Amino acid sequence: MTATPTTHAATPTTPRRHRARLLVPAAIAVLAFTTTTAAADTSPTTAAERTATTTHDHRAAEQKPKAMLDAWLRLWNGDFAQAPGIISPGFRVHVALLDGGDGSSIRGVDGLVAWIGQTRAAFRDLRFTFEVPPLVDGRYASVRWTATGTYAGGFPGAKARPGTVVTFTGTDTLRMRDGKFAEYWVNSDTLSLLTQLQAL
């Protein structure tokens, strides 16, 4: 009966010592790894590599909105196949339409493509170009554009003859989400367009 406590007393001591021996080398290994990593981080080569990686990531982040805006330009120039890749299903438009609407009826890929199609139907060979490089700030992108096209006729109240070449300008502001455009604000020089169409 006296031997049992001695056995139990010895049993917990041995694992504790064994655990202590295991923990000490592990702590030294972690300390050595931390010190080595810290030293490596301050070396010129690693700093240069880190700068290169950061620059690459920054350029990649910039390239995505620019690629989206290039596709946006192609979409407005009649390449409707661009729409599904850059327009979100819940896409919303904010614009003062000539019929008095606010653009809220233009929704998603189909709504935008239909609206662009109607615009292009009124002006044969309508061509959009960017006046200045796009501005990108976080989730928002803004671009100034010029549009030139040949009037095809049928514009309500217009006295200009079909075949009249018109040029007008505007600014698009777009909100991006999950790699697609989700919201769109447009300001265009409607006064200039209506004047050229002799609709005033």
Side-chain angles (χ1 to χ4, degrees):
M1 301 248 343
T2 55
T4 305
T6 307
T7 305
H8 285 318
T11 304
T13 307
T14 305
R16 279 191 200 127
R17 285 188 194 142
H18 184 62
R19 265 196 302 260
R21 274 188 251 123
L22 289 175
L23 289 174
V24 171
I28 291 170
V30 169
L31 183 60
F33 177 78
T34 306
T35 307
T36 305
T37 305
D41 284 348
T42 57
S43 68
T45 305
T46 304
E49 288 172 356
R50 192 168 55 247
T51 302
T53 302
T54 304
T55 303
H56 178 268
D57 292 345
H58 183 64
R59 283 181 185 159
E62 284 181 345
Q63 287 302 323
K64 181 64 175 173
K66 287 180 182 176
M68 290 170 63
L69 287 165
D70 286 343
W72 175 257
L73 182 64
R74 291 195 297 274
L75 171 60
W76 275 93
N77 281 331
D79 185 0
F80 297 150
Q82 298 292 325
I86 60 168
I87 304 300
S88 72
F91 182 80
R92 295 180 355 189
V93 175
H94 305 277
V95 61
L97 298 171
L98 293 174
D99 65 2
D102 62 0
S104 58
S105 62
I106 304 167
R107 291 273 183 165
V109 173
D110 293 339
L112 179 63
V113 167
W115 183 43
I116 294 172
Q118 290 170 357
T119 304
R120 295 190 63 79
F123 303 97
R124 295 193 316 264
D125 64 18
L126 186 62
R127 182 80 183 157
F128 289 84
T129 56
F130 290 159
E131 272 189 28
V132 294
L135 301 174
V136 178
D137 183 10
R139 297 179 300 145
Y140 294 90
S142 186
V143 64
R144 172 80 174 173
W145 50 260
T146 298
T148 301
T150 306
Y151 177 50
F155 196 91
K159 298 183 182 73
R161 293 185 178 186
T164 300
V165 175
V166 298
T167 298
F168 56 104
T169 60
T171 302
D172 290 351
T173 300
L174 297 132
R175 180 173 65 85
M176 299 170 283
R177 186 181 66 191
D178 299 328
K180 293 190 176 185
F181 293 124
E183 205 164 1
Y184 171 42
W185 293 263
V186 57
N187 291 298
S188 58
D189 191 349
T190 308
L191 178 60
S192 173
L193 176 60
L194 294 177
T195 300
Q196 292 173 75
L197 293 176
Q198 300 175 34
L200 293 177

